[in-house]
Amino acid sequence: MTAIKGSVVLVTGGSRGVGKALVEGLYARGAGKVYATARDPRTVAHPDAVPLALEVTDPASVAAVAEQAQDVTVLINNAGVATGTRFLTSSLDEIRHEFEINFYGPLLVARAFVPVIERNGGGHILNVHSVLSWFAEGGAYSASKSALWSQTNSLRLALQSRGIGVTGLHMGYVDTDMTAGVDGPKAKAEDIAAAALDGIESDAYEVLADDITRWAKGALSGDLAAMYQQLAG
Ligand SMILES: NC(=O)c1ccc[n+]([C@@H]2O[C@H](COP(=O)([O-])OP(=O)(O)OC[C@H]3O[C@@H](n4cnc5c(N)ncnc54)[C@H](OP(=O)(O)O)[C@@H]3O)[C@@H](O)[C@H]2O)c1
């Protein structure tokens, strides 16, 4: 079990949206120290958080953050983008960019922090996926989050014997900058953060934070035409 009370946590993308809610939730549960990263660390407003500059696509930036946060026991890979990139109309560079941030970014950060967490006696990694890991309506975003889901599953197996638990977080729309242009129901970032932190504390393999996510996971085992109504003849 990973207790949040007294833990030292690093949250990527911790200055806004889900990441900001995670930082607030961590301190509310008694975390000892929370590093909150942003590309511009001056945007980290939480009075107790330790701001760090991080660009997840830049190996030197990731290495510098790991160097400065040697006491981390819990890593939350939250940073991500949804650029609306489409397979048939966007450039390959745009598609690759989505993967650089959503797939390779968390991988670089995990590779940098696994030895740190291990040296500190073990701990936890939580990767932020999406309902779109399981539902291909999001083009390259869906594919990048699907690939991240698989990466998380592999890391869980690889880290089981090394004292590091791994949780994947899945959710539908959350009310953040990312969904500013979306109409319709959205979860509150603080509710998603609470579900994520419950998942860490209970060593859950996965957190399915809302109804649409639970539906999507169940639908994966059914006929594809039931999941994608466009396919129903
Ligand atoms: N909102 C939703 O409906 C929703 C649903 C499912 C999953 N998610 C996932 O939840 C996570 C958080 O999203 P959000 O809704 O809070 O989005 P957001 O408000 O747009 O925030 C995105 C965060 O990612 C960081 N980030 C983006 N590109 C980065 C890069 N290249 N290097 C370092 N940090 C970078 C941003 O940091 P800066 O402050 O430096 O820009 C920001 O903190 C993402 O992984 C997203 O895919 C969101």
PDB file of all heavy atoms in Angstrom, residues 139-177:
ATOM      1  N   GLY A 139      -8.676  10.198 -32.890  1.00  0.00           N
ATOM      2  CA  GLY A 139      -7.544  10.224 -33.822  1.00  0.00           C
ATOM      3  C   GLY A 139      -6.233   9.902 -33.120  1.00  0.00           C
ATOM      4  O   GLY A 139      -6.123   8.955 -32.341  1.00  0.00           O
ATOM      5  N   ALA A 140      -5.219  10.735 -33.391  1.00  0.00           N
ATOM      6  CA  ALA A 140      -3.888  10.461 -32.839  1.00  0.00           C
ATOM      7  C   ALA A 140      -3.882  10.544 -31.316  1.00  0.00           C
ATOM      8  O   ALA A 140      -3.094   9.862 -30.654  1.00  0.00           O
ATOM      9  CB  ALA A 140      -2.876  11.435 -33.415  1.00  0.00           C
ATOM     10  N   TYR A 141      -4.753  11.364 -30.752  1.00  0.00           N
ATOM     11  CA  TYR A 141      -4.832  11.435 -29.274  1.00  0.00           C
ATOM     12  C   TYR A 141      -5.229  10.071 -28.716  1.00  0.00           C
ATOM     13  O   TYR A 141      -4.610   9.559 -27.786  1.00  0.00           O
ATOM     14  CB  TYR A 141      -5.839  12.509 -28.855  1.00  0.00           C
ATOM     15  CG  TYR A 141      -6.037  12.626 -27.349  1.00  0.00           C
ATOM     16  CD1 TYR A 141      -5.105  13.284 -26.553  1.00  0.00           C
ATOM     17  CD2 TYR A 141      -7.157  12.070 -26.726  1.00  0.00           C
ATOM     18  CE1 TYR A 141      -5.284  13.393 -25.173  1.00  0.00           C
ATOM     19  CE2 TYR A 141      -7.348  12.172 -25.349  1.00  0.00           C
ATOM     20  CZ  TYR A 141      -6.404  12.830 -24.573  1.00  0.00           C
ATOM     21  OH  TYR A 141      -6.591  12.928 -23.212  1.00  0.00           O
ATOM     22  N   SER A 142      -6.286   9.474 -29.301  1.00  0.00           N
ATOM     23  CA  SER A 142      -6.719   8.147 -28.848  1.00  0.00           C
ATOM     24  C   SER A 142      -5.573   7.145 -28.957  1.00  0.00           C
ATOM     25  O   SER A 142      -5.323   6.368 -28.028  1.00  0.00           O
ATOM     26  CB  SER A 142      -7.879   7.627 -29.703  1.00  0.00           C
ATOM     27  OG  SER A 142      -9.054   8.317 -29.431  1.00  0.00           O
ATOM     28  N   ALA A 143      -4.897   7.174 -30.093  1.00  0.00           N
ATOM     29  CA  ALA A 143      -3.808   6.202 -30.302  1.00  0.00           C
ATOM     30  C   ALA A 143      -2.687   6.416 -29.292  1.00  0.00           C
ATOM     31  O   ALA A 143      -2.128   5.456 -28.753  1.00  0.00           O
ATOM     32  CB  ALA A 143      -3.277   6.316 -31.729  1.00  0.00           C
ATOM     33  N   SER A 144      -2.373   7.676 -29.020  1.00  0.00           N
ATOM     34  CA  SER A 144      -1.280   7.940 -28.069  1.00  0.00           C
ATOM     35  C   SER A 144      -1.677   7.492 -26.668  1.00  0.00           C
ATOM     36  O   SER A 144      -0.847   6.975 -25.912  1.00  0.00           O
ATOM     37  CB  SER A 144      -0.892   9.422 -28.078  1.00  0.00           C
ATOM     38  OG  SER A 144      -1.921  10.233 -27.527  1.00  0.00           O
ATOM     39  N   LYS A 145      -2.949   7.661 -26.304  1.00  0.00           N
ATOM     40  CA  LYS A 145      -3.390   7.260 -24.964  1.00  0.00           C
ATOM     41  C   LYS A 145      -3.568   5.740 -24.882  1.00  0.00           C
ATOM     42  O   LYS A 145      -3.426   5.147 -23.813  1.00  0.00           O
ATOM     43  CB  LYS A 145      -4.688   7.989 -24.599  1.00  0.00           C
ATOM     44  CG  LYS A 145      -4.493   9.485 -24.335  1.00  0.00           C
ATOM     45  CD  LYS A 145      -3.723   9.733 -23.036  1.00  0.00           C
ATOM     46  CE  LYS A 145      -3.662  11.216 -22.686  1.00  0.00           C
ATOM     47  NZ  LYS A 145      -2.959  11.482 -21.416  1.00  0.00           N
ATOM     48  N   SER A 146      -3.905   5.115 -26.010  1.00  0.00           N
ATOM     49  CA  SER A 146      -3.958   3.657 -26.075  1.00  0.00           C
ATOM     50  C   SER A 146      -2.563   3.078 -25.865  1.00  0.00           C
ATOM     51  O   SER A 146      -2.359   2.112 -25.113  1.00  0.00           O
ATOM     52  CB  SER A 146      -4.428   3.272 -27.473  1.00  0.00           C
ATOM     53  OG  SER A 146      -5.433   2.356 -27.438  1.00  0.00           O
ATOM     54  N   ALA A 147      -1.596   3.675 -26.552  1.00  0.00           N
ATOM     55  CA  ALA A 147      -0.204   3.215 -26.420  1.00  0.00           C
ATOM     56  C   ALA A 147       0.296   3.444 -24.995  1.00  0.00           C
ATOM     57  O   ALA A 147       1.016   2.607 -24.434  1.00  0.00           O
ATOM     58  CB  ALA A 147       0.685   3.952 -27.420  1.00  0.00           C
ATOM     59  N   LEU A 148      -0.104   4.559 -24.393  1.00  0.00           N
ATOM     60  CA  LEU A 148       0.307   4.829 -23.009  1.00  0.00           C
ATOM     61  C   LEU A 148      -0.299   3.797 -22.060  1.00  0.00           C
ATOM     62  O   LEU A 148       0.356   3.334 -21.123  1.00  0.00           O
ATOM     63  CB  LEU A 148      -0.099   6.252 -22.601  1.00  0.00           C
ATOM     64  CG  LEU A 148       0.236   6.650 -21.151  1.00  0.00           C
ATOM     65  CD1 LEU A 148       1.737   6.569 -20.880  1.00  0.00           C
ATOM     66  CD2 LEU A 148      -0.286   8.059 -20.853  1.00  0.00           C
ATOM     67  N   TRP A 149      -1.553   3.440 -22.320  1.00  0.00           N
ATOM     68  CA  TRP A 149      -2.213   2.404 -21.496  1.00  0.00           C
ATOM     69  C   TRP A 149      -1.394   1.113 -21.538  1.00  0.00           C
ATOM     70  O   TRP A 149      -1.113   0.479 -20.510  1.00  0.00           O
ATOM     71  CB  TRP A 149      -3.637   2.182 -22.019  1.00  0.00           C
ATOM     72  CG  TRP A 149      -4.356   0.991 -21.471  1.00  0.00           C
ATOM     73  CD1 TRP A 149      -4.513   0.663 -20.152  1.00  0.00           C
ATOM     74  CD2 TRP A 149      -5.023  -0.027 -22.225  1.00  0.00           C
ATOM     75  NE1 TRP A 149      -5.251  -0.500 -20.047  1.00  0.00           N
ATOM     76  CE2 TRP A 149      -5.566  -0.939 -21.302  1.00  0.00           C
ATOM     77  CE3 TRP A 149      -5.211  -0.242 -23.590  1.00  0.00           C
ATOM     78  CZ2 TRP A 149      -6.286  -2.069 -21.711  1.00  0.00           C
ATOM     79  CZ3 TRP A 149      -5.934  -1.355 -23.992  1.00  0.00           C
ATOM     80  CH2 TRP A 149      -6.464  -2.257 -23.063  1.00  0.00           C
ATOM     81  N   SER A 150      -0.962   0.729 -22.740  1.00  0.00           N
ATOM     82  CA  SER A 150      -0.172  -0.489 -22.883  1.00  0.00           C
ATOM     83  C   SER A 150       1.182  -0.337 -22.182  1.00  0.00           C
ATOM     84  O   SER A 150       1.654  -1.265 -21.502  1.00  0.00           O
ATOM     85  CB  SER A 150       0.007  -0.793 -24.371  1.00  0.00           C
ATOM     86  OG  SER A 150       0.670  -2.005 -24.539  1.00  0.00           O
ATOM     87  N   GLN A 151       1.791   0.831 -22.352  1.00  0.00           N
ATOM     88  CA  GLN A 151       3.071   1.095 -21.656  1.00  0.00           C
ATOM     89  C   GLN A 151       2.890   0.931 -20.140  1.00  0.00           C
ATOM     90  O   GLN A 151       3.710   0.287 -19.465  1.00  0.00           O
ATOM     91  CB  GLN A 151       3.540   2.524 -21.959  1.00  0.00           C
ATOM     92  CG  GLN A 151       4.833   2.895 -21.266  1.00  0.00           C
ATOM     93  CD  GLN A 151       5.104   4.399 -21.274  1.00  0.00           C
ATOM     94  OE1 GLN A 151       5.482   4.969 -20.263  1.00  0.00           O
ATOM     95  NE2 GLN A 151       4.916   5.060 -22.411  1.00  0.00           N
ATOM     96  N   THR A 152       1.808   1.490 -19.624  1.00  0.00           N
ATOM     97  CA  THR A 152       1.552   1.405 -18.180  1.00  0.00           C
ATOM     98  C   THR A 152       1.426  -0.054 -17.753  1.00  0.00           C
ATOM     99  O   THR A 152       1.966  -0.462 -16.710  1.00  0.00           O
ATOM    100  CB  THR A 152       0.248   2.169 -17.838  1.00  0.00           C
ATOM    101  OG1 THR A 152       0.393   3.515 -18.273  1.00  0.00           O
ATOM    102  CG2 THR A 152      -0.053   2.138 -16.350  1.00  0.00           C
ATOM    103  N   ASN A 153       0.719  -0.845 -18.560  1.00  0.00           N
ATOM    104  CA  ASN A 153       0.538  -2.263 -18.216  1.00  0.00           C
ATOM    105  C   ASN A 153       1.875  -3.003 -18.199  1.00  0.00           C
ATOM    106  O   ASN A 153       2.114  -3.866 -17.347  1.00  0.00           O
ATOM    107  CB  ASN A 153      -0.439  -2.918 -19.192  1.00  0.00           C
ATOM    108  CG  ASN A 153      -1.862  -2.440 -18.985  1.00  0.00           C
ATOM    109  OD1 ASN A 153      -2.210  -1.947 -17.909  1.00  0.00           O
ATOM    110  ND2 ASN A 153      -2.699  -2.557 -20.007  1.00  0.00           N
ATOM    111  N   SER A 154       2.754  -2.655 -19.153  1.00  0.00           N
ATOM    112  CA  SER A 154       4.087  -3.287 -19.169  1.00  0.00           C
ATOM    113  C   SER A 154       4.907  -2.854 -17.966  1.00  0.00           C
ATOM    114  O   SER A 154       5.579  -3.673 -17.324  1.00  0.00           O
ATOM    115  CB  SER A 154       4.839  -2.915 -20.446  1.00  0.00           C
ATOM    116  OG  SER A 154       4.202  -3.460 -21.571  1.00  0.00           O
ATOM    117  N   LEU A 155       4.866  -1.562 -17.660  1.00  0.00           N
ATOM    118  CA  LEU A 155       5.651  -1.063 -16.524  1.00  0.00           C
ATOM    119  C   LEU A 155       5.196  -1.712 -15.221  1.00  0.00           C
ATOM    120  O   LEU A 155       6.009  -2.020 -14.343  1.00  0.00           O
ATOM    121  CB  LEU A 155       5.517   0.464 -16.411  1.00  0.00           C
ATOM    122  CG  LEU A 155       6.210   1.281 -17.504  1.00  0.00           C
ATOM    123  CD1 LEU A 155       5.980   2.772 -17.263  1.00  0.00           C
ATOM    124  CD2 LEU A 155       7.701   0.988 -17.553  1.00  0.00           C
ATOM    125  N   ARG A 156       3.871  -1.919 -15.102  1.00  0.00           N
ATOM    126  CA  ARG A 156       3.351  -2.546 -13.871  1.00  0.00           C
ATOM    127  C   ARG A 156       3.994  -3.918 -13.661  1.00  0.00           C
ATOM    128  O   ARG A 156       4.399  -4.284 -12.549  1.00  0.00           O
ATOM    129  CB  ARG A 156       1.826  -2.667 -13.942  1.00  0.00           C
ATOM    130  CG  ARG A 156       1.206  -3.239 -12.683  1.00  0.00           C
ATOM    131  CD  ARG A 156      -0.308  -3.305 -12.791  1.00  0.00           C
ATOM    132  NE  ARG A 156      -0.907  -2.027 -13.088  1.00  0.00           N
ATOM    133  CZ  ARG A 156      -1.490  -1.698 -14.242  1.00  0.00           C
ATOM    134  NH1 ARG A 156      -1.569  -2.578 -15.241  1.00  0.00           N
ATOM    135  NH2 ARG A 156      -2.004  -0.504 -14.426  1.00  0.00           N
ATOM    136  N   LEU A 157       4.085  -4.685 -14.758  1.00  0.00           N
ATOM    137  CA  LEU A 157       4.688  -6.019 -14.657  1.00  0.00           C
ATOM    138  C   LEU A 157       6.173  -5.918 -14.327  1.00  0.00           C
ATOM    139  O   LEU A 157       6.691  -6.641 -13.489  1.00  0.00           O
ATOM    140  CB  LEU A 157       4.495  -6.777 -15.977  1.00  0.00           C
ATOM    141  CG  LEU A 157       3.037  -7.042 -16.378  1.00  0.00           C
ATOM    142  CD1 LEU A 157       2.988  -7.704 -17.750  1.00  0.00           C
ATOM    143  CD2 LEU A 157       2.329  -7.895 -15.332  1.00  0.00           C
ATOM    144  N   ALA A 158       6.845  -4.965 -15.000  1.00  0.00           N
ATOM    145  CA  ALA A 158       8.293  -4.840 -14.807  1.00  0.00           C
ATOM    146  C   ALA A 158       8.644  -4.341 -13.411  1.00  0.00           C
ATOM    147  O   ALA A 158       9.728  -4.634 -12.897  1.00  0.00           O
ATOM    148  CB  ALA A 158       8.869  -3.890 -15.856  1.00  0.00           C
ATOM    149  N   LEU A 159       7.744  -3.579 -12.796  1.00  0.00           N
ATOM    150  CA  LEU A 159       8.081  -2.932 -11.517  1.00  0.00           C
ATOM    151  C   LEU A 159       7.511  -3.649 -10.301  1.00  0.00           C
ATOM    152  O   LEU A 159       7.810  -3.278  -9.168  1.00  0.00           O
ATOM    153  CB  LEU A 159       7.603  -1.468 -11.546  1.00  0.00           C
ATOM    154  CG  LEU A 159       8.324  -0.603 -12.591  1.00  0.00           C
ATOM    155  CD1 LEU A 159       7.714   0.792 -12.659  1.00  0.00           C
ATOM    156  CD2 LEU A 159       9.820  -0.519 -12.290  1.00  0.00           C
ATOM    157  N   GLN A 160       6.704  -4.685 -10.570  1.00  0.00           N
ATOM    158  CA  GLN A 160       6.046  -5.396  -9.464  1.00  0.00           C
ATOM    159  C   GLN A 160       7.060  -5.887  -8.424  1.00  0.00           C
ATOM    160  O   GLN A 160       6.846  -5.760  -7.230  1.00  0.00           O
ATOM    161  CB  GLN A 160       5.259  -6.577 -10.033  1.00  0.00           C
ATOM    162  CG  GLN A 160       4.383  -7.257  -9.001  1.00  0.00           C
ATOM    163  CD  GLN A 160       3.590  -8.404  -9.627  1.00  0.00           C
ATOM    164  OE1 GLN A 160       3.986  -8.962 -10.651  1.00  0.00           O
ATOM    165  NE2 GLN A 160       2.477  -8.740  -9.018  1.00  0.00           N
ATOM    166  N   SER A 161       8.167  -6.442  -8.923  1.00  0.00           N
ATOM    167  CA  SER A 161       9.149  -7.020  -7.992  1.00  0.00           C
ATOM    168  C   SER A 161      10.131  -5.970  -7.486  1.00  0.00           C
ATOM    169  O   SER A 161      11.059  -6.294  -6.740  1.00  0.00           O
ATOM    170  CB  SER A 161       9.921  -8.129  -8.704  1.00  0.00           C
ATOM    171  OG  SER A 161      10.590  -7.564  -9.821  1.00  0.00           O
ATOM    172  N   ARG A 162       9.937  -4.715  -7.900  1.00  0.00           N
ATOM    173  CA  ARG A 162      10.883  -3.661  -7.489  1.00  0.00           C
ATOM    174  C   ARG A 162      10.247  -2.681  -6.506  1.00  0.00           C
ATOM    175  O   ARG A 162      10.776  -1.585  -6.274  1.00  0.00           O
ATOM    176  CB  ARG A 162      11.414  -2.941  -8.735  1.00  0.00           C
ATOM    177  CG  ARG A 162      12.235  -3.889  -9.603  1.00  0.00           C
ATOM    178  CD  ARG A 162      12.611  -3.309 -10.944  1.00  0.00           C
ATOM    179  NE  ARG A 162      13.525  -2.193 -10.855  1.00  0.00           N
ATOM    180  CZ  ARG A 162      14.047  -1.582 -11.911  1.00  0.00           C
ATOM    181  NH1 ARG A 162      13.743  -2.005 -13.140  1.00  0.00           N
ATOM    182  NH2 ARG A 162      14.860  -0.567 -11.759  1.00  0.00           N
ATOM    183  N   GLY A 163       9.086  -3.066  -5.962  1.00  0.00           N
ATOM    184  CA  GLY A 163       8.472  -2.248  -4.916  1.00  0.00           C
ATOM    185  C   GLY A 163       7.806  -0.983  -5.430  1.00  0.00           C
ATOM    186  O   GLY A 163       7.626  -0.025  -4.679  1.00  0.00           O
ATOM    187  N   ILE A 164       7.431  -0.971  -6.697  1.00  0.00           N
ATOM    188  CA  ILE A 164       6.767   0.211  -7.256  1.00  0.00           C
ATOM    189  C   ILE A 164       5.430  -0.217  -7.858  1.00  0.00           C
ATOM    190  O   ILE A 164       5.391  -0.978  -8.826  1.00  0.00           O
ATOM    191  CB  ILE A 164       7.644   0.902  -8.327  1.00  0.00           C
ATOM    192  CG1 ILE A 164       9.000   1.296  -7.723  1.00  0.00           C
ATOM    193  CG2 ILE A 164       6.921   2.125  -8.906  1.00  0.00           C
ATOM    194  CD1 ILE A 164       9.972   1.924  -8.719  1.00  0.00           C
ATOM    195  N   GLY A 165       4.336   0.249  -7.258  1.00  0.00           N
ATOM    196  CA  GLY A 165       3.012  -0.029  -7.795  1.00  0.00           C
ATOM    197  C   GLY A 165       2.704   0.911  -8.948  1.00  0.00           C
ATOM    198  O   GLY A 165       3.231   2.028  -9.004  1.00  0.00           O
ATOM    199  N   VAL A 166       1.870   0.467  -9.869  1.00  0.00           N
ATOM    200  CA  VAL A 166       1.557   1.283 -11.060  1.00  0.00           C
ATOM    201  C   VAL A 166       0.049   1.312 -11.290  1.00  0.00           C
ATOM    202  O   VAL A 166      -0.596   0.265 -11.380  1.00  0.00           O
ATOM    203  CB  VAL A 166       2.274   0.733 -12.309  1.00  0.00           C
ATOM    204  CG1 VAL A 166       1.925   1.564 -13.544  1.00  0.00           C
ATOM    205  CG2 VAL A 166       3.795   0.731 -12.107  1.00  0.00           C
ATOM    206  N   THR A 167      -0.483   2.531 -11.387  1.00  0.00           N
ATOM    207  CA  THR A 167      -1.918   2.729 -11.605  1.00  0.00           C
ATOM    208  C   THR A 167      -2.138   3.485 -12.913  1.00  0.00           C
ATOM    209  O   THR A 167      -1.414   4.431 -13.218  1.00  0.00           O
ATOM    210  CB  THR A 167      -2.517   3.583 -10.453  1.00  0.00           C
ATOM    211  OG1 THR A 167      -2.307   2.912  -9.218  1.00  0.00           O
ATOM    212  CG2 THR A 167      -4.007   3.809 -10.648  1.00  0.00           C
ATOM    213  N   GLY A 168      -3.154   3.071 -13.664  1.00  0.00           N
ATOM    214  CA  GLY A 168      -3.581   3.823 -14.850  1.00  0.00           C
ATOM    215  C   GLY A 168      -4.913   4.500 -14.553  1.00  0.00           C
ATOM    216  O   GLY A 168      -5.828   3.869 -14.028  1.00  0.00           O
ATOM    217  N   LEU A 169      -5.015   5.785 -14.887  1.00  0.00           N
ATOM    218  CA  LEU A 169      -6.239   6.555 -14.637  1.00  0.00           C
ATOM    219  C   LEU A 169      -6.956   6.813 -15.962  1.00  0.00           C
ATOM    220  O   LEU A 169      -6.348   7.320 -16.913  1.00  0.00           O
ATOM    221  CB  LEU A 169      -5.881   7.898 -13.979  1.00  0.00           C
ATOM    222  CG  LEU A 169      -7.005   8.936 -13.863  1.00  0.00           C
ATOM    223  CD1 LEU A 169      -8.091   8.463 -12.894  1.00  0.00           C
ATOM    224  CD2 LEU A 169      -6.437  10.286 -13.407  1.00  0.00           C
ATOM    225  N   HIS A 170      -8.238   6.439 -15.996  1.00  0.00           N
ATOM    226  CA  HIS A 170      -9.041   6.663 -17.210  1.00  0.00           C
ATOM    227  C   HIS A 170     -10.249   7.527 -16.861  1.00  0.00           C
ATOM    228  O   HIS A 170     -10.921   7.274 -15.853  1.00  0.00           O
ATOM    229  CB  HIS A 170      -9.562   5.329 -17.763  1.00  0.00           C
ATOM    230  CG  HIS A 170      -8.490   4.409 -18.249  1.00  0.00           C
ATOM    231  ND1 HIS A 170      -8.192   4.230 -19.583  1.00  0.00           N
ATOM    232  CD2 HIS A 170      -7.637   3.618 -17.573  1.00  0.00           C
ATOM    233  CE1 HIS A 170      -7.206   3.360 -19.712  1.00  0.00           C
ATOM    234  NE2 HIS A 170      -6.851   2.971 -18.503  1.00  0.00           N
ATOM    235  N   MET A 171     -10.534   8.499 -17.714  1.00  0.00           N
ATOM    236  CA  MET A 171     -11.739   9.321 -17.503  1.00  0.00           C
ATOM    237  C   MET A 171     -12.177   9.961 -18.804  1.00  0.00           C
ATOM    238  O   MET A 171     -11.397  10.094 -19.738  1.00  0.00           O
ATOM    239  CB  MET A 171     -11.497  10.398 -16.426  1.00  0.00           C
ATOM    240  CG  MET A 171     -10.534  11.493 -16.797  1.00  0.00           C
ATOM    241  SD  MET A 171      -8.814  10.974 -16.611  1.00  0.00           S
ATOM    242  CE  MET A 171      -8.013  12.568 -16.412  1.00  0.00           C
ATOM    243  N   GLY A 172     -13.469  10.363 -18.817  1.00  0.00           N
ATOM    244  CA  GLY A 172     -14.001  11.132 -19.943  1.00  0.00           C
ATOM    245  C   GLY A 172     -13.730  12.613 -19.713  1.00  0.00           C
ATOM    246  O   GLY A 172     -12.759  12.981 -19.042  1.00  0.00           O
ATOM    247  N   TYR A 173     -14.616  13.475 -20.243  1.00  0.00           N
ATOM    248  CA  TYR A 173     -14.354  14.911 -20.182  1.00  0.00           C
ATOM    249  C   TYR A 173     -14.234  15.428 -18.759  1.00  0.00           C
ATOM    250  O   TYR A 173     -15.046  15.099 -17.885  1.00  0.00           O
ATOM    251  CB  TYR A 173     -15.483  15.689 -20.871  1.00  0.00           C
ATOM    252  CG  TYR A 173     -15.472  15.600 -22.375  1.00  0.00           C
ATOM    253  CD1 TYR A 173     -16.651  15.406 -23.088  1.00  0.00           C
ATOM    254  CD2 TYR A 173     -14.279  15.734 -23.087  1.00  0.00           C
ATOM    255  CE1 TYR A 173     -16.643  15.326 -24.467  1.00  0.00           C
ATOM    256  CE2 TYR A 173     -14.260  15.655 -24.468  1.00  0.00           C
ATOM    257  CZ  TYR A 173     -15.455  15.449 -25.146  1.00  0.00           C
ATOM    258  OH  TYR A 173     -15.444  15.374 -26.515  1.00  0.00           O
ATOM    259  N   VAL A 174     -13.217  16.261 -18.572  1.00  0.00           N
ATOM    260  CA  VAL A 174     -13.006  16.962 -17.304  1.00  0.00           C
ATOM    261  C   VAL A 174     -12.967  18.452 -17.638  1.00  0.00           C
ATOM    262  O   VAL A 174     -12.466  18.849 -18.702  1.00  0.00           O
ATOM    263  CB  VAL A 174     -11.661  16.548 -16.658  1.00  0.00           C
ATOM    264  CG1 VAL A 174     -11.560  17.106 -15.247  1.00  0.00           C
ATOM    265  CG2 VAL A 174     -11.484  15.040 -16.666  1.00  0.00           C
ATOM    266  N   ASP A 175     -13.496  19.265 -16.733  1.00  0.00           N
ATOM    267  CA  ASP A 175     -13.587  20.703 -16.986  1.00  0.00           C
ATOM    268  C   ASP A 175     -12.227  21.374 -16.763  1.00  0.00           C
ATOM    269  O   ASP A 175     -11.890  21.770 -15.653  1.00  0.00           O
ATOM    270  CB  ASP A 175     -14.647  21.302 -16.047  1.00  0.00           C
ATOM    271  CG  ASP A 175     -15.027  22.702 -16.472  1.00  0.00           C
ATOM    272  OD1 ASP A 175     -14.555  23.154 -17.531  1.00  0.00           O
ATOM    273  OD2 ASP A 175     -15.794  23.339 -15.729  1.00  0.00           O
ATOM    274  N   THR A 176     -11.439  21.457 -17.828  1.00  0.00           N
ATOM    275  CA  THR A 176     -10.101  22.074 -17.775  1.00  0.00           C
ATOM    276  C   THR A 176      -9.894  22.858 -19.074  1.00  0.00           C
ATOM    277  O   THR A 176     -10.752  22.840 -19.963  1.00  0.00           O
ATOM    278  CB  THR A 176      -8.990  21.000 -17.689  1.00  0.00           C
ATOM    279  OG1 THR A 176      -8.968  20.279 -18.928  1.00  0.00           O
ATOM    280  CG2 THR A 176      -9.195  20.037 -16.535  1.00  0.00           C
ATOM    281  N   ASP A 177      -8.722  23.478 -19.203  1.00  0.00           N
ATOM    282  CA  ASP A 177      -8.404  24.198 -20.454  1.00  0.00           C
ATOM    283  C   ASP A 177      -8.546  23.278 -21.664  1.00  0.00           C
ATOM    284  O   ASP A 177      -8.940  23.709 -22.741  1.00  0.00           O
ATOM    285  CB  ASP A 177      -6.955  24.710 -20.412  1.00  0.00           C
ATOM    286  CG  ASP A 177      -6.753  25.778 -19.347  1.00  0.00           C
ATOM    287  OD1 ASP A 177      -7.753  26.311 -18.837  1.00  0.00           O
ATOM    288  OD2 ASP A 177      -5.576  26.055 -19.022  1.00  0.00           O
TER     289      ASP A 177
END
